[in-house]
Amino acid sequence: MSNKEFIGWSSAYVAIFTIVNLIVYYCGAWVIPITTSVCVAANMMLRDRVFCGKGLKFSAAIAAAAGLCTFAINHGALTVAIASFTAVVVGAFVAGGAFKLLKNKVAIEKARPIANTCSAVTDSILYPTIAFMAFLPFVSVEMFASKFLSVLFYTFIINKFFNFDYKKGA
């Protein structure tokens, strides 16, 4: 992948998350299951394809860029921007920690989904709590369910219609 393509895909990723942050800010918590599905699609199609092997620092930088863009467009959306960044970074730490704990105890094929589920639970609790500065258990459950169902749906679509070699980044 050329630098121009990489910058283009990275910019698309930042734009998607900036738009999602602003939609959540303007529409409120009811829209989170919908925006979650969009974020899952972006993560599965863009992050894993473009940023494969770049690590937590790069993911945090992309999340920070989206947060800064969100804040630059609307200063009132600061808590949503902080929530998005925090959920990405803490979720990545939780997934990484869970994977390290599990990788020697269970097969890699089982460790990945368990680690990703731990991350999804963490993200589903943190994001709405920080964004709206209140614990919203129903929204957290909806967000987790949306993530779970979206992953199932997009995995089916990707496996059926696309062929990505994630080791090569495309």
Side-chain angles (χ1 to χ4, degrees), residues 37 46 48 59 98 110 113 135 138 162 165:
S37 184
L46 294 175
D48 293 346
S59 292
K110 290 182 182 178
F135 180 58
F138 189 71
F162 297 95
D165 183 356

Side-chain angles (χ1 to χ4, degrees), residues 13 17 21 39 43 47 51 55-67 80-96 119-120 122-124 126-127 130 143 147:
Y13 193 79
F17 279 84
N21 285 342
C39 291
N43 278 332
R47 184 192 64 195
F51 310 138
L56 177 60
K57 287 180 186 176
F58 192 77
S59 292
I62 290 294
V80 175
I82 291 170
S84 181
F85 174 77
T86 304
V88 167
V89 173
V90 173
F93 275 117
V94 168
S119 174
T122 302
D123 180 13
S124 297
L126 282 178
Y127 181 76
I130 296 169
M143 187 173 176
K147 281 178 180 273

Side-chain angles (χ1 to χ4, degrees), residues 12-136:
Y13 193 79
V14 169
I16 289 167
F17 279 84
T18 300
I19 291 165
V20 164
N21 285 342
L22 291 169
I23 289 170
V24 169
Y25 174 74
Y26 285 113
C27 297
W30 72 268
V31 78
I32 286 178
I34 299 164
T35 58
T36 296
S37 184
V38 171
C39 291
V40 168
N43 278 332
M44 292 179 79
M45 296 300 290
L46 294 175
R47 184 192 64 195
D48 293 346
R49 182 170 185 236
V50 178
F51 310 138
C52 185
K54 300 279 191 258
L56 177 60
K57 287 180 186 176
F58 192 77
S59 292
I62 290 294
L68 289 172
C69 288
T70 301
F71 182 69
I73 292 168
N74 186 331
H75 292 0
L78 179 62
T79 56
V80 175
I82 291 170
S84 181
F85 174 77
T86 304
V88 167
V89 173
V90 173
F93 275 117
V94 168
F99 185 76
K100 279 186 178 185
L101 288 172
L102 293 169
K103 72 178 182 178
N104 294 327
K105 296 180 175 136
V106 297
I108 296 290
E109 295 79 26
K110 290 182 182 178
R112 281 189 187 121
I114 293 169
N116 287 337
T117 301
C118 292
S119 174
V121 168
T122 302
D123 180 13
S124 297
I125 293 169
L126 282 178
Y127 181 76
T129 302
I130 296 169
F132 300 104
M133 294 188 278
F135 180 58
L136 305 169

